[in-house]
Amino acid sequence: MSGIGMPDFGPDDHSDEVESETESEVTPIFELENVSVEFEMDRGVSRVLDDVTFDIHRNEVLGVVGESGSGKSMLASALLDAVVDPGVLSGDITYYTSDERPIDVLGLSDRDLRKFRWDAVSMVFQGAMNSFNPVMTVRSHFKETLEAHSAADEEHFERVHQLLEDLYLEGDRVLDSYPHELSGGQKQRALIALSLILRPNVLVMDEPTAALDLLMQRSILSLLSDLKEKYEFTLVFITHDLPLVKNLCDRLAVMYAFDLVEAGPTREVIGSADHPYTRALLNATPNLDTPIEDMNSIEGSAPDPVNVPPGCAYNPRCPLAEQRCEEEDPDLVQVETDHWAACFYWDDVDDAIPINVPGAGGETDE
């Protein structure tokens, strides 16, 4: 929004909050409408985000899942208006402040956008453990960030130490270290602390545990859950590993061919998925509790962004596909309260594609 002065993107004030948990869960902090990203290429237009319309709820943990190349990372970049050139981002992205004032993200000036990206929304990019400047100490990274946002005061430096302590890191030792002197898990936790230093209302994490071993992955997820409870922010967690985040996320949004194909409460999506792709994704995920003969890879491959098939993009790989699926692109339809699926035959998937993984029937691991 140009012409409104410097917007106040500051952290939500929960001290006088009287809303019930149920009410707060359904209050949007982001609204996306017809959001697309296109790249001009020699062989045609590559559309890597395709008219996404979706709300992100305030204070929820939203898991965005799908195969590599499904558009997950591009969705994350779009939230911050951070799509790199020559990509063209279009549509409407509205962010709501703590007092529910709407902010047109794509209409922000460069100055306001820089403030928005740290004060309102912060992001941990994929492979970010290697993004620390190797010739700078960790302390210098924090100091540089705080100075850039006119926040290099005693209160914020105390917050640095508190965040590191919350992440089970020795403050001064980590701050005085160079990145190569820290393990992968330590670097990732230091990066999480850096992303939260200005108390953003939304933290977006793009495959943050992909380079870590399973034990460290679970440790990071546990720490994120604790941090969210303490600091009350909205978490958008992007991953290809659906089972990994099923106990972290309140809702799941499943992406295929650069658009959403299913979204709903985690328990429902895992226990009774209504889109054939979501079920195929669940059945293709290795786990120790399912016999190997019951695990099935998804036949075929994801579509080329320059040549997405007409109709439903999943139809070439879908066992339920009929002629209608080849000709019409299904909209997201409400199948349960807050559960949506983009499939003409969502009511037939139970019999056609049984879910062969733990959690089917609505149960999740404790």
Side-chain angles (χ1 to χ4, degrees):
M1 284 183 179
S2 57
I4 61 172
M6 181 66 79
D8 179 13
F9 301 124
D12 287 342
D13 181 2
H14 300 276
S15 58
D16 299 320
E17 196 169 83
V18 295
E19 290 182 308
S20 70
E21 182 178 349
T22 301
E23 290 171 333
S24 65
E25 284 176 353
V26 298
T27 302
I29 195 166
F30 266 110
E31 288 182 349
L32 288 72
E33 185 173 356
N34 302 125
V35 175
S36 296
V37 175
E38 295 182 347
F39 287 82
E40 289 281 353
M41 302 177 65
D42 292 340
R43 61 191 184 92
V45 176
S46 176
R47 201 169 207 197
V48 292
L49 211 58
D50 189 7
D51 284 331
V52 173
T53 297
F54 189 63
D55 291 354
I56 298 174
H57 300 168
R58 188 178 299 276
N59 294 331
E60 76 170 334
V61 181
L62 174 69
V64 181
V65 298
E67 294 172 284
S68 296
S70 60
K72 306 185 302 296
S73 296
M74 198 56 62
L75 177 64
S77 296
L79 290 175
L80 286 82
D81 192 8
V83 174
V84 298
D85 290 333
V88 177
L89 171 60
S90 61
D92 295 303
I93 301 176
T94 305
Y95 168 82
Y96 290 93
T97 63
S98 56
D99 58 357
E100 299 188 2
R101 286 185 300 110
I103 301 293
D104 174 14
V105 175
L106 303 190
L108 290 172
S109 67
D110 289 344
R111 179 174 177 236
D112 288 349
L113 188 59
R114 284 193 295 271
K115 180 176 175 62
F116 171 79
R117 287 175 179 166
W118 280 90
D119 286 21
V121 186
S122 186
M123 182 166 176
V124 176
F125 289 93
Q126 188 171 4
M129 285 190 300
N130 298 319
S131 67
F132 282 111
N133 187 328
V135 299
M136 290 172 56
T137 64
V138 173
R139 187 186 302 275
S140 297
H141 286 85
F142 278 91
K143 184 178 179 181
E144 183 179 75
T145 299
L146 291 172
E147 289 177 347
H149 292 267
S150 302
D153 52 39
E154 183 177 350
E155 178 185 351
H156 282 89
F157 282 116
E158 289 179 359
R159 181 174 169 78
V160 172
H161 284 270
Q162 182 60 58
L163 281 167
L164 293 173
E165 181 179 319
D166 290 337
L167 288 157
Y168 295 94
L169 292 170
E170 298 178 38
D172 287 331
R173 190 187 77 78
V174 169
L175 290 170
D176 292 333
S177 297
Y178 287 90
H180 73 273
E181 297 177 309
L182 302 177
S183 69
Q186 289 173 325
K187 281 190 285 188
Q188 186 63 286
R189 284 179 283 159
L191 192 65
I192 293 171
L194 181 61
S195 70
L196 292 174
I197 190 58
L198 292 174
R199 299 182 64 196
N201 294 327
V202 182
L203 177 61
V204 182
M205 307 192 76
D206 188 4
E207 299 276 9
T209 61
L212 303 175
D213 62 59
L214 183 59
L215 185 61
M216 184 53 66
Q217 287 179 351
R218 294 187 178 277
S219 175
I220 293 292
L221 294 187
S222 177
L223 290 171
L224 284 172
S225 182
D226 293 342
L227 285 171
K228 184 195 175 301
E229 183 175 351
K230 180 174 182 178
Y231 294 109
E232 299 183 302
F233 53 85
T234 302
L235 176 60
V236 180
F237 195 101
I238 294 169
T239 181
H240 66 278
D241 192 342
L242 197 160
L244 178 69
V245 295
K246 67 179 183 179
N247 292 321
L248 172 71
C249 299
D250 302 307
R251 284 198 305 158
L252 293 175
V254 182
M255 295 195 70
Y256 182 79
F258 325 111
D259 199 359
L260 292 176
V261 296
E262 184 162 8
T266 300
R267 184 178 295 270
E268 290 185 20
V269 172
I270 289 181
S272 55
D274 284 304
H275 195 283
Y277 173 66
T278 308
R279 290 186 169 238
L281 197 64
L282 285 164
N283 288 339
T285 304
N287 65 82
L288 298 177
D289 299 305
T290 302
I292 192 168
E293 60 269 17
D294 290 337
M295 297 183 194
N296 302 295
S297 60
I298 307 176
E299 295 185 4
S301 57
D304 182 341
V306 178
N307 189 27
V308 177
C312 174
Y314 189 59
N315 85 77
R317 308 173 76 182
C318 182
L320 296 181
E322 296 187 1
Q323 183 175 349
R324 182 185 184 188
C325 306
E326 299 173 6
E327 299 172 350
E328 300 178 41
D329 187 9
D331 294 325
L332 280 170
V333 296
Q334 188 170 4
V335 296
E336 296 286 350
T337 303
D338 200 30
H339 188 172
W340 303 75
C343 180
F344 296 123
Y345 304 108
W346 63 268
D347 204 24
D348 299 327
V349 294
D350 282 340
D351 294 330
I353 312 172
I355 302 176
N356 300 317
V357 297
E363 298 178 1
T364 54
D365 298 337
E366 296 298 334

